[in-house]
């Protein structure tokens, strides 16, 4: 699938005028035709100024130098993302600082670029990937919200309704004889099966939507397989 989105607002947080100028010149490369215009780039030289810009304008992407006059290291990224966790951030790093750049990726940055090695192609690719990854993350979050909504329906409306059906069928089973009693027994049986299936679906949804890592436990597979085969 091709990249379709034009980038309208880019924020560059870089205190070195030379590095900022080189990046701005790179944006004039033909790789950015129809993607981003140099006129769409806002340049500030401190984290405080960058945070002010993000509070006032909805930026599509941020280029962030981790060594600024008012902040340095990964704390710079943490402070920025605390304000705008949804905005894609591409970290700018020196040749001798790639390890910290990788740590920044692990902390939430979408990508990193090494100063002095930035080309039009690498910058364009980094922009595209950062935006696409952020879109994917948002889609996953929307899917999770839909699953949580479905889980809430299973927990309350559907499960409550099934329990009511089962209880009424149990009453009829006690009162009725012959074919009518067998029909009521069948309703109870299938109510139990559906309630059991609902519990399994709820457990799966709980696992998929949980924020914490699942707790894994060793267990004997033999009895489990035998029980499922029998069921």
């Amino acid at each position: 699938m091709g990249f379709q989105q034009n980038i309208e607002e880019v924020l560059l947080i870089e205190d070195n005028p030379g590095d900022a100028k080189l990046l701005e010149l790179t944006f004039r490369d033909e790789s950015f035709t129809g993607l981003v215009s140099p006129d769409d780039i806002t340049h500030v030289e401190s984290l405080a100024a960058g945070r002010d810009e993000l509070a006032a304008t909805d930026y599509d992407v941020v280029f962030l130098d981790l060594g600024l006059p008012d902040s340095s290291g990964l704390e710079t990224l943490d402070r920025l993302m605390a304000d705008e966790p949804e905005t894609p951030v591409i970290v700018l790093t020196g040749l001798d600082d790639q390890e910290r750049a990788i740590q920044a990726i692990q902390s939430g940055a979408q990508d990193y670029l090494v100063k002095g090695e930035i080309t039009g192609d690498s910058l364009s690719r980094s922009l595209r990937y950062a935006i696409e990854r952020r879109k994917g993350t948002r889609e996953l979050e929307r899917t999770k919200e839909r699953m949580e909504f479905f889980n809430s329906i299973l927990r309350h409306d559907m499960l409550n309704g099934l329990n009511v059906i089962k209880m009424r069928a149990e009453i009829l089973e006690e009162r009725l004889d012959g074919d009518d009693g067998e029909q009521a027994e069948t309703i109870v049986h299938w109510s139990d099966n559906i309630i059991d299936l609902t519990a399994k679906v709820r457990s799966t949804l709980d696992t998929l939507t949980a924020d914490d890592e699942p707790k894994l436990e060793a267990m004997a597979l033999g009895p489990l397989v035998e029980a499922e085969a029998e069921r």
Side-chain angles (χ1 to χ4, degrees), residues 1-178:
M1 180 181 295
F3 184 88
Q4 301 295 330
Q5 177 178 347
N6 290 332
I7 300 172
E8 298 179 352
E9 296 289 347
V10 176
L11 177 61
L12 170 60
I13 308 177
E14 168 63 74
D15 66 318
N16 186 308
D19 289 336
K21 187 63 176 179
L22 285 174
L23 189 64
E24 291 172 356
L25 288 174
T26 307
F27 271 106
R28 300 183 184 278
D29 188 278
E30 61 182 12
S31 303
F32 296 95
T33 303
L35 177 61
V36 62
S37 166
D39 296 333
D40 297 329
I41 303 170
T42 299
H43 174 217
V44 297
E45 298 183 350
S46 68
L47 180 61
R51 295 172 74 179
D52 289 342
E53 281 291 334
L54 286 169
T57 304
D58 184 18
Y59 284 92
D60 295 306
V61 65
V62 177
F63 289 90
L64 176 67
D65 181 16
L66 296 181
L68 298 170
D70 54 347
S71 183
S72 63
L74 293 178
E75 180 186 356
T76 306
L77 175 64
D78 292 339
R79 292 171 62 188
L80 187 73
M81 295 192 66
D83 294 337
E84 294 291 332
E86 296 298 320
T87 304
V89 177
I90 299 174
V91 167
L92 302 175
T93 181
L95 286 170
D96 59 346
D97 207 15
Q98 293 191 51
E99 182 177 350
R100 187 168 63 173
I102 293 174
Q103 292 174 342
I105 296 290
Q106 296 170 342
S107 297
Q110 291 296 315
D111 204 351
Y112 74 91
L113 292 170
V114 179
K115 297 179 183 180
E117 296 186 352
I118 301 174
T119 65
D121 286 340
S122 66
L123 182 57
S124 174
R125 183 168 55 252
S126 183
L127 269 172
R128 294 170 188 269
Y129 288 173
I131 297 293
E132 285 297 304
R133 280 194 292 270
R134 175 55 63 184
K135 286 169 60 180
T137 299
R138 289 174 176 171
E139 184 59 35
L140 284 174
E141 290 172 351
R142 286 192 289 268
T143 299
K144 180 180 178 181
E145 290 174 357
R146 289 192 289 266
M147 292 172 67
E148 289 174 341
F149 173 72
F150 181 51
N151 198 7
S152 69
I153 293 177
L154 285 178
R155 286 182 180 277
H156 301 102
D157 302 338
M158 188 171 180
L159 191 58
N160 289 342
L162 286 169
N163 282 319
V164 170
I165 292 172
K166 178 185 175 182
M167 287 187 294
R168 296 295 188 271
E170 287 174 339
I171 294 173
L172 292 175
E173 183 183 11
E174 293 176 357
R175 295 180 178 178
L176 299 174
D177 297 321

Side-chain angles (χ1 to χ4, degrees), residues 6 33 108 143 182 193 210 217 224:
N6 290 332
T33 303
T143 299
E182 291 179 2
N193 286 345
E217 297 179 359
L224 176 64

Side-chain angles (χ1 to χ4, degrees), residues 183-195:
Q183 296 292 345
E185 181 182 0
T186 300
I187 295 173
V188 173
H189 172 72
W190 279 103
S191 295
D192 283 332
N193 286 345
I194 297 174
I195 289 172

